[in-house]
């Protein structure tokens, strides 16, 4: 399938979705989407906004590509865990690993693992000033950095899950 016909098929599917979807027609649609991307549970979202069930939220999220957005927003999920440490009984080790994971994920949601063979600090020293500025502003590492460090992709780290 060429990209254009794939795009037009998506448009048709989206049109069909919008006609049937209570989230699309919901006055708080934008808030619902923001909550989903921030890893709020679909059950909580549906209860808070008077939506029939969480499946409706998931269907909407699929149709609008929110799963991808949410996956890139892994920092928000970790923030929720770290934040909860104050008021519920999260084990200390869960909080510590969330903090460590948070520190390893750059702004683009990519996992940067320190390895024995590569010194990240040395690589940072090799970066030019514009590259460092770019990294500071957007979290984007230069392409050569990625290929040196190797596996930073988070693709292998779990897919979509319907479990709460
Ligand atoms: Zn919808």
């Amino acid at each position: 399938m060429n990209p254009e016909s794939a795009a037009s098929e998506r448009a048709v599917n989206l049109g069909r979705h919008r006609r049937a979807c209570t989230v699309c027609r919901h006055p708080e649609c934008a808030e619902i989407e923001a909550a989903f991307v921030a890893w709020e549970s679909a059950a909580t979202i549906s209860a808070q906004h008077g939506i029939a069930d969480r499946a409706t939220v998931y269907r909407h999220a699929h149709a609008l590509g929110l799963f991808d957005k949410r996956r890139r927003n892994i920092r928000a999920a970790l923030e929720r865990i770290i934040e909860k440490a104050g008021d519920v009984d999260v084990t200390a080790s869960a909080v510590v690993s969330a903090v460590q994971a948070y520190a390893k994920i750059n702004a683009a949601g990519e996992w940067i693992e320190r390895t024995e063979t590569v010194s990240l600090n040395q690589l940072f020293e090799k970066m030019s000033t514009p590259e460092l500025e770019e990294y500071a502003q957007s979290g984007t590492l230069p392409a050569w950095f990625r290929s040196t460090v190797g596996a930073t992709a988070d693709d292998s780290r779990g897919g979509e899950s319907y479990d709460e």
Side-chain angles (χ1 to χ4, degrees):
M1 194 184 291
N2 70 46
E4 272 132 64
S5 68
S8 72
E9 190 181 298
R10 266 199 305 278
V12 168
N13 287 342
L14 191 59
R16 197 177 296 148
H17 164 82
R18 284 197 190 284
R19 279 192 295 279
C21 178
T22 51
V23 178
C24 285
R25 286 174 298 172
H26 202 287
E28 288 145 12
C29 181
E31 289 161 50
I32 293 166
E33 292 186 345
F36 184 84
V37 172
W39 292 87
E40 189 103 44
S41 96
T44 306
I45 295 172
S46 53
Q48 276 178 351
H49 297 276
I51 296 158
D53 53 21
R54 62 186 185 148
T56 307
V57 175
Y58 282 129
R59 265 196 304 276
H60 176 81
H62 261 302
L64 278 290
L66 300 183
F67 278 93
D68 256 2
K69 264 191 199 164
R70 187 172 76 162
R71 223 184 335 249
R72 286 193 297 271
N73 198 24
I74 193 78
R75 281 184 162 217
L78 295 169
E79 278 166 15
R80 296 178 76 84
I81 296 171
I82 296 165
E83 204 173 81
K84 274 192 186 139
D87 39 84
V88 298
D89 224 6
V90 192
T91 65
S93 66
V95 176
V96 169
S97 36
V99 171
Q100 285 172 339
Y102 185 88
K104 283 179 188 170
I105 289 171
N106 68 17
E110 292 168 331
W111 188 274
I112 305 293
E113 186 81 72
R114 278 176 186 271
T115 67
E116 312 250 342
T117 51
V118 180
S119 158
L120 280 185
N121 294 334
Q122 275 173 13
L123 287 173
F124 275 111
E125 279 163 22
K126 282 185 195 158
M127 282 165 74
S128 67
T129 307
E131 282 170 347
L132 284 168
E133 277 170 7
E134 174 71 21
Y135 178 70
Q137 279 168 20
S138 68
T140 308
L141 288 164
W144 62 261
F145 192 113
R146 286 156 199 265
S147 55
T148 314
V149 175
T152 59
D154 57 353
D155 294 350
S156 59
R157 252 160 241 280
E160 286 155 17
S161 169
Y162 282 68
D163 297 324
E164 295 286 298

